[in-house]
Amino acid sequence: MKKYQVNQEGYYGEFGGAYIPEVLKPRIDELRNTYLQVLEDESFQREFHQLLRDYVGRPSPLYLAHRLSEKYGCKIYLKREDLNHTGAHKINNAIGQALLAKRMGKKHIIAETGAGQHGVATATVCALMDMKCTIFMGKTDMERQRVNVEKMKMLGAEVVPATSGTMTLNDAVNEALQYWCSHAEDAYYLIGSAVGPHPYPDMVARLQSVISEEIRKQLMEQEGRDYPDYLIACVGGGSNAAGTIYHYLDDERVKIVLAEGGGKGLETNQTAATMLLGKTGILHGAKTLIIQNEKGEPEEAYSISPGLDYPGVGPLYAHLTQQKRASVFAINDDEAIRAARLLTRLEGIIPALESSHALGALEKMDFHPTDIVVLTVSGRGDKDIETYLNYGK
Ligand SMILES: *Cc1c(COP(=O)(O)O)cnc(C)c1O
């Protein structure tokens, strides 16, 4: 039984759907009527997997972290998405959607970006596939993330500053959607996480599901069984987590543990703990859990990690939280930094700040010595070195 997958109407339980302006309906319908057929097509699969292998460098290793395992008294495997080309899992989705866009006859890709990671992945793929690329990014974020802006420009993308609201991710999404409304015929909107109107959350989950497909094979080889006791991943919108849990959603032997950005603490209003604190509402085309004020407007989310400070979350996670299929931990800034320093010293791996939140969850759990844990290291920490060095100074 598939209890946790999306249904025909695009809902995960009561969450999801497609709440969009009239002008976008034909484009979303077009996408909904095309995506499954294309994704399951043999020639798509061949091209996608060839690029994942030869361009991204997949399969990413499943590494038994000996010293980390010893510290927590169980067997911890790290799924090394940090070793992918461009340094994170985001490239899996960007390649898949760009291949889909090409098959739909679109030559112009638009995307939003917060810290710039999804923007860089998208610009990379557009260079590779010779497609026009327009990236919307909050003006404040552009100032904070200069290097990523320069990378996108070098890759040939046009970076458009979003100047509404707080000039961050939320505003970049709104302006990208507005632009899409007026260029809907020829542009393809490449969403970077498991969020947005149906079919995006399901499509992104399917494209990232290569992560759990590999985990199954790799665990079989290394452990003689194809499932772990625990899966742990961080959640911003939920794409690396979706990839990690996809093939295990309905396997109740596997416990799912999700880490979100606690920021400065749940009791402060500087947090991104959407699953623990959010209330039901509609954001960027989907019904989901949202951190909002009394008037029902989304509040600005805060986390030290640039990939986790989104006031909403993918509808799948609202459902998993409500159904108690997943355990959710809010990991505060200081806990994430501590976890990153620990992994660096124990294993010689500097994780992305986002991934450090998943590592921070280990501290809050009790393990049995025979437990097999798979934790996804969603990205590498090169982009976060300054934060790691300066924190607490
Ligand atoms: C963007 C990003 C995330 C958060 O996005 P999800 O869609 O929740 O995976 C996590 N880790 C890294 C390294 C990222 O770049």
Side-chain angles (χ1 to χ4, degrees):
M1 238 252 310
K2 292 209 152 74
K3 265 168 69 181
Y4 299 102
Q5 297 285 358
V6 76
N7 69 18
Q8 281 286 329
E9 288 73 45
Y11 282 85
Y12 299 89
E14 65 181 74
F15 302 102
Y19 299 81
I20 46 170
E22 213 47 51
V23 280
L24 286 181
K25 285 239 162 75
R27 294 289 79 86
I28 292 291
D29 285 344
E30 179 188 24
L31 194 59
R32 196 171 53 203
N33 295 331
T34 321
Y35 86 110
L36 282 180
Q37 206 184 329
V38 171
L39 262 55
E40 283 164 10
D41 176 66
E42 207 180 305
S43 86
F44 174 91
Q45 283 292 327
R46 202 178 318 116
E47 200 175 348
F48 183 45
H49 283 280
Q50 190 160 6
L51 283 170
L52 289 180
R53 188 189 67 194
D54 300 336
Y55 188 70
V56 176
R58 303 201 73 92
S60 66
L62 185 71
Y63 164 67
L64 176 57
H66 291 277
R67 297 184 66 207
L68 194 70
S69 298
E70 201 171 295
K71 155 99 181 143
Y72 288 109
C74 58
K75 236 171 165 179
I76 303 174
Y77 285 92
L78 302 177
K79 183 59 175 160
R80 300 288 309 276
E81 294 299 301
D82 57 313
L83 296 177
N84 293 341
H85 178 46
T86 68
H89 65 291
K90 287 196 170 75
I91 190 85
N92 306 325
N93 168 54
I95 288 182
Q97 283 195 57
L99 287 176
L100 170 66
K102 259 179 44 179
R103 280 165 167 76
M104 291 171 74
K106 314 277 181 186
K107 295 185 175 70
H108 182 189
I109 300 282
I110 57 180
E112 82 296 337
T113 195
Q117 296 303 110
H118 174 54
V120 170
T122 304
T124 299
V125 171
C126 287
L128 174 72
M129 298 188 192
D130 190 22
M131 295 170 100
K132 185 177 168 198
C133 182
T134 308
I135 305 288
F136 292 83
M137 187 171 188
K139 193 164 170 282
T140 310
D141 286 336
M142 281 178 75
E143 285 154 15
R144 287 195 289 214
Q145 307 287 340
R146 290 208 156 276
V147 177
N148 278 340
V149 175
E150 297 308 322
K151 279 189 193 168
M152 287 184 264
K153 288 184 177 162
M154 183 163 174
L155 288 158
E158 183 195 1
V159 185
V160 180
T163 53
S164 57
T166 54
M167 306 190 204
T168 55
L169 175 62
N170 193 32
D171 314 296
V173 178
N174 288 331
E175 295 194 20
L177 281 170
Q178 260 170 33
Y179 182 93
W180 197 27
C181 285
S182 52
H183 297 76
E185 281 299 326
D186 54 332
Y188 178 92
Y189 185 15
L190 203 162
I191 292 187
S193 188
V195 300
H198 177 68
Y200 280 103
D202 183 51
M203 176 164 60
V204 174
R206 283 170 188 265
L207 293 171
Q208 292 289 2
S209 71
V210 63
I211 298 173
S212 52
E213 204 176 295
E214 289 173 6
I215 292 173
R216 275 208 304 214
K217 261 191 224 139
Q218 291 167 321
L219 273 182
M220 196 62 197
E221 279 167 24
Q222 300 189 51
E223 289 290 335
R225 71 178 226 209
D226 67 357
Y227 67 97
D229 297 295
Y230 293 91
L231 284 169
I232 308 179
C234 66
V235 176
S239 71
N240 87 87
T244 304
I245 65 182
Y246 191 84
H247 290 289
Y248 297 108
L249 272 171
D250 292 294
D251 184 344
E252 307 270 355
R253 295 172 300 184
V254 182
K255 297 178 203 69
I256 296 173
V257 177
L258 305 171
E260 58 183 356
K264 299 205 168 137
L266 289 186
E267 64 298 340
T268 71
N269 53 15
Q270 289 183 290
T271 180
T274 322
M275 288 178 278
L276 291 178
L277 297 180
K279 298 203 170 45
T280 303
I282 289 167
L283 183 65
H284 302 138
K287 185 183 280 186
T288 187
L289 292 174
I290 304 162
I291 299 184
Q292 47 190 295
N293 60 24
E294 296 83 46
K295 284 187 260 168
E297 297 154 349
E299 290 268 21
E300 202 184 355
Y302 166 83
S303 160
I304 194 168
S305 158
L308 300 185
D309 60 358
Y310 182 60
V313 68
L316 167 65
Y317 300 92
H319 185 50
L320 294 179
T321 307
Q322 190 193 54
Q323 297 300 310
K324 302 196 169 20
R325 171 68 182 97
S327 317
V328 179
F329 292 102
I331 305 300
N332 294 346
D333 293 354
D334 54 342
E335 296 169 324
I337 298 271
R338 217 180 307 134
R341 289 178 178 158
L342 184 75
L343 183 74
T344 303
R345 289 304 181 89
L346 287 181
E347 300 288 347
I349 297 169
I350 304 178
L353 259 169
E354 293 82 5
S355 322
S356 306
H357 287 70
L359 291 157
L362 292 169
E363 199 66 55
K364 303 186 181 250
M365 298 170 63
D366 288 311
F367 296 107
H368 194 267
T370 57
D371 283 339
I372 295 174
V373 178
V374 172
L375 184 151
T376 296
V377 180
S378 53
R380 65 178 81 127
D382 305 34
K383 67 184 179 58
D384 302 311
I385 297 295
E386 250 180 86
T387 311
Y388 286 140
L389 287 176
N390 295 332
Y391 190 83
K393 286 210 177 125

